[in-house]
Amino acid sequence: MAEICVIKSFRLTPELAYKLEELHELSGLSQSEIVRLSLTGMKTIKEKPSKELLSSLLKLNNIGNNINQIARHANTFDEIDYNTLKVCVANLNSMVNDIRRHYL
């Protein structure tokens, strides 16, 4: 993105100011960034992800890493710990179902 070096000051109606503040709270973007996105043709500004969703995605990533480690071990030593694999797959399925139920 180009270096931002020009400062503009402008007036808004109370309704537009409220809407700008609402978008700021919803998206987590600065009010200046919202105006810049609007001027460049951005149609929608997305809501910032909730802390619960980010936490769920982190847990899901950790489970995926565990499964990857199990697969690496299985490929290296030609053996699989089925109990650990079952627990990881069960956790993965549970997390995916939770994410679908809460966010989709």
Side-chain angles (χ1 to χ4, degrees):
M1 181 175 213
E3 183 179 332
I4 299 171
C5 59
V6 177
I7 298 173
K8 293 289 184 181
S9 176
F10 53 91
R11 294 187 175 113
L12 298 172
T13 64
E15 293 83 17
L16 287 175
Y18 177 78
K19 187 171 183 178
L20 182 60
E21 181 63 32
E22 196 174 56
L23 286 171
H24 164 66
E25 293 294 325
L26 180 72
S27 67
L29 298 172
S30 70
Q31 293 181 2
S32 298
E33 186 65 22
I34 292 169
V35 171
R36 283 192 291 275
L37 289 172
S38 297
L39 290 172
T40 58
M42 181 77 154
K43 298 292 183 198
T44 58
I45 296 175
K46 295 181 181 179
E47 182 178 350
K48 64 182 173 184
S50 68
K51 290 181 182 179
E52 293 84 16
L53 176 59
L54 294 176
S55 173
S56 295
L57 291 175
L58 180 63
K59 290 177 186 175
L60 190 61
N61 185 53
N62 290 339
I63 293 168
N65 287 337
N66 289 343
I67 292 173
N68 188 42
Q69 289 174 0
I70 292 169
R72 184 176 297 160
H73 180 81
N75 287 330
T76 303
F77 298 106
D78 202 27
E79 64 181 45
I80 298 174
D81 181 4
Y82 288 106
N83 293 329
T84 306
L85 183 60
K86 283 181 182 180
V87 169
C88 287
V89 170
N91 287 340
L92 179 62
N93 288 334
S94 174
M95 288 298 302
V96 169
N97 290 333
D98 286 345
I99 290 172
R100 282 185 180 149
R101 192 174 4 202
H102 291 298
Y103 306 108
L104 302 179

